[in-house]
Amino acid sequence: MAEEIRVRFAPSPTGYLHVGGARTALFNWLWARKTGGKFVLRIEDTDEARSTIESVNGMLHDLTWLGLDWDEGPLYGEGIDPLKQQKGDKGPYFQSQRLEIYQRLAHELMDKGVAYPCFCTDEELEEKRKKAEEEHRSVHYDGTCRNLSREEAQRRIDAGEPYTIRVRVPQKDYALDDEVRGHVEWKAGTLGDFIILRSSGMPVYNFCVVVDDALMGITHVVRAEEHLTNTHRQLILYEALGYKPPKFSHASLILGPDKQKLSKRHGATAVGQYAEQGFLPDAMINFLALLGWNEGNDREIYSVKELIDCFELGHISKSPGVFDNDKLLWVNGQHLRALPVEELIPMVAPLLKKAMPDDKRLDDPVIMQKLVGLIQPKMTLLTDAPDVAKTFFEASQPENEEAAAMIATEKSQKLFVALAEEFEKCEWVREGYNAAIKAAGKVAEVKGKDLFMPIRVKITGTCHGPELVGILDVLGREETIARLKA
């Protein structure tokens, strides 16, 4: 029986969900869904000073908005306490709730002699660091406490002397066959014995990660390349604990347009900001997937299902992805305009009603459907809906001098009078509009562009836009005639 694929996303709740973190979550989620595996959400909250429950809930909200559902981890929803309500049999899924596990395993390593207590104070370690720099030696622990006898170490522990626990780093090379980076090697002597448990009893990051990934059965670790340097320590810890390492894939970083690491100076970097600005979750998924992954062709628009079907770890790129906001807007527009009107209506109806609270036409489902169908081709973001709709719903002055001149001619004035009369008696359906316009054109002795363009400008104020009869559908007889007579 094939091994079940298990991947994880393990954010630190010290702020918002960054687009880089969202992409990491996405790659893991796609691999789990592609292989029929499990996507685990783990919260790495051992930074007590900076971790907040507000950040936890914000990240859970943003992952939910993106549609990246998780199989194990904290639950999310109204009235749910994620610290107390979790799903999965390998929890708890908050590192702050796993401290006893880390402490027990660190002391077990110490009992086996794979790790040892270190009694060096911070002041002593700082002196060692300065001396190593002065002598141009590698700045890592010099092994002062490495060879203390068990009896001496125990005597000092019993005396209440503070100590950290350090792992004994074997003097040998380590290597990794990364799914993205290829073969990576670390030579013996590049690391000193490093701390796995602080004197306060708090574990360090790399130790927690290895313990959690092993005990949670993680088979594949997909993360950003900035974690590649951690992998050397983690391979040492997997060996010390007797655990099998997972397969690693280190994706490239995301850069801003200036080719520097993406940060707040480049604009919005929080997933929640893009949701507020009117982006579609599926468009964000599409765009994030292309930041460092490519199927091997020039295709740019994917549905979520298509991404799942196409995704392979081997197609993650070594080259950095560049976050281009104009490209994101284009991708969003493509997704938005491809939506069935029935799916778009519930997304934009609240925005329309908030912007035009007194317009009763928005309460008519038939008019709402026609309106959304009209504005959809003109939208790039969901938040564009009110402004685009107002161009139809609210009478406006001609957009420029050319448009104003077009409706000021004697023939145009004659056309508007005749058309108002025709509209008052015609059947208010498309065939009726067309017949009325044709009849008014004969009265005013105009046709073609000279017929339709002045009518459009008179009714909407602009020379361009959706099909005229579609606009009449939305405006209704009374409003249309009022604008012709204005």
Side-chain angles (χ1 to χ4, degrees):
M1 184 177 175
E3 178 185 41
E4 180 184 56
I5 301 297
R6 291 178 60 83
V7 296
R8 49 74 166 179
F9 176 53
S12 298
T14 56
Y16 54 79
L17 179 62
H18 186 275
V19 291
R23 188 197 62 170
T24 296
L26 173 61
F27 284 173
N28 281 280
W29 182 83
L30 288 172
W31 189 234
R33 297 296 171 257
K34 171 70 178 282
T35 59
K38 293 290 192 296
F39 177 53
V40 178
L41 178 60
R42 183 174 73 229
I43 307 298
E44 298 188 341
D45 61 339
T46 52
D47 185 343
E48 295 175 295
R50 298 172 60 218
S51 297
T52 67
I53 190 62
E54 290 78 18
S55 178
V56 171
N57 283 319
M59 288 181 169
L60 299 184
H61 173 274
D62 290 348
L63 288 171
T64 301
W65 176 75
L66 285 169
L68 303 183
D69 56 322
W70 52 96
D71 303 294
E72 298 177 23
L75 295 178
Y76 173 72
E78 187 175 350
I80 291 176
D81 182 350
L83 286 163
K84 296 178 180 178
Q85 295 167 272
Q86 303 174 26
K87 59 180 177 178
D89 59 0
K90 298 186 184 298
Y93 296 91
F94 283 81
Q95 285 187 338
S96 61
Q97 298 173 343
R98 300 173 62 83
L99 296 182
E100 184 277 329
I101 299 173
Y102 311 131
Q103 293 166 356
R104 173 174 54 81
L105 288 173
H107 282 90
E108 285 181 10
L109 290 182
M110 194 168 70
D111 292 341
K112 293 175 183 177
V114 179
Y116 60 89
C118 175
F119 302 94
C120 296
T121 64
D122 290 342
E123 292 75 19
E124 290 170 334
L125 292 172
E126 180 61 19
E127 279 298 314
K128 294 175 190 292
R129 186 189 65 78
K130 287 181 179 178
K131 186 175 181 182
E133 287 179 344
E134 290 169 0
E135 297 175 357
H136 304 291
R137 293 185 285 107
S138 297
V139 180
H140 53 65
Y141 184 60
D142 63 1
T144 298
C145 296
R146 182 184 178 107
N147 296 317
L148 288 177
S149 67
R150 283 180 177 262
E151 293 76 20
E152 172 66 10
Q154 191 59 51
R155 181 190 67 76
R156 296 175 72 170
I157 291 173
D158 292 342
E161 195 170 336
Y163 66 94
T164 60
I165 296 180
R166 291 181 182 270
V167 69
R168 295 181 189 275
V169 174
Q171 291 303 299
K172 67 175 189 177
D173 299 344
Y174 283 84
L176 168 71
D177 287 315
D178 190 275
E179 298 278 339
V180 178
R181 302 286 148 187
H183 191 71
V184 184
E185 291 186 356
W186 294 274
K187 295 297 183 182
T190 55
L191 271 183
D193 296 346
F194 55 88
I195 294 171
I196 58 174
L197 196 71
R198 298 183 179 89
S199 58
S200 63
M202 288 298 291
V204 300
Y205 168 77
N206 283 307
F207 188 60
C208 295
V209 167
V210 169
V211 169
D212 290 346
D213 283 347
L215 297 185
M216 292 181 183
I218 302 303
T219 61
H220 294 70
V221 170
V222 184
R223 59 190 182 186
E225 68 175 330
E226 59 194 346
H227 289 286
L228 187 59
T229 54
N230 290 322
T231 312
H232 186 191
R233 286 179 169 81
Q234 292 172 12
L235 290 175
I236 292 168
L237 290 171
Y238 276 109
E239 186 176 74
L241 289 160
Y243 297 145
K244 177 186 175 183
K247 293 180 180 178
F248 288 93
S249 300
H250 287 89
S252 59
L253 296 176
I254 299 177
L255 306 180
D258 58 359
K259 302 301 190 293
Q260 300 299 309
K261 185 178 178 182
L262 188 68
S263 65
K264 288 181 181 179
R265 72 175 182 278
H266 295 111
T269 57
V271 170
Q273 289 176 283
Y274 290 98
E276 291 170 3
Q277 289 173 15
F279 286 90
L280 294 171
D282 284 8
M284 283 298 299
I285 291 288
N286 185 165
F287 179 74
L288 289 173
L290 297 179
L291 288 176
W293 171 87
N294 186 280
E295 187 185 358
N297 54 37
D298 295 329
R299 184 177 178 186
E300 295 185 301
I301 301 300
Y302 291 84
S303 68
V304 174
K305 182 182 184 305
E306 287 168 340
L307 285 171
I308 292 171
D309 292 341
C310 297
F311 188 77
E312 294 289 346
L313 294 177
H315 289 162
I316 295 176
S317 173
K318 293 181 182 179
S319 303
V322 177
F323 196 100
D324 183 342
N325 202 62
D326 290 339
K327 178 70 170 292
L328 173 57
L329 283 166
W330 177 80
V331 170
N332 197 72
Q334 297 296 310
H335 277 267
L336 194 152
R337 288 186 285 275
L339 276 177
V341 172
E342 293 73 18
E343 292 183 26
L344 186 57
I345 289 172
M347 298 181 190
V348 299
L351 301 174
L352 294 170
K353 291 179 179 179
K354 182 178 180 181
M356 297 176 278
D358 299 325
D359 200 313
K360 301 305 180 186
R361 286 171 293 184
L362 295 174
D363 296 327
D364 185 329
V366 175
I367 291 180
M368 177 66 79
Q369 181 165 21
K370 290 178 178 179
L371 174 64
V372 173
L374 277 181
I375 66 177
Q376 184 177 21
K378 307 286 286 182
M379 293 168 57
T380 299
L381 297 166
L382 291 174
T383 46
D384 292 338
D387 286 341
V388 180
K390 285 179 180 180
T391 64
F392 306 129
F393 266 18
E394 297 179 1
S396 57
Q397 295 299 313
E399 61 183 351
N400 52 40
E401 291 183 6
E402 180 186 0
M406 190 182 299
I407 63 173
T409 66
E410 186 177 338
K411 281 192 174 184
S412 291
Q413 294 298 316
K414 190 174 182 180
L415 170 65
F416 302 149
V417 172
L419 186 56
E421 292 176 358
E422 293 293 334
F423 275 167
E424 282 176 344
K425 62 187 180 184
C426 79
E427 187 179 0
W428 201 252
V429 294
R430 295 194 169 211
E431 293 78 7
Y433 315 150
N434 288 326
I437 292 171
K438 187 176 180 180
K442 286 182 178 179
V443 172
E445 299 179 329
V446 290
K447 59 183 178 179
K449 181 180 178 182
D450 293 334
L451 170 60
F452 287 96
M453 194 66 78
I455 296 173
R456 176 183 291 279
V457 173
K458 183 66 174 174
I459 292 175
T460 68
T462 178
C463 298
H464 308 284
E467 184 186 19
L468 181 58
V469 291
I471 297 172
L472 301 180
D473 268 345
V474 169
L475 290 181
R477 189 195 306 269
E478 185 178 337
E479 175 69 16
T480 301
I481 293 172
R483 293 188 185 187
L484 287 170
K485 292 181 175 180

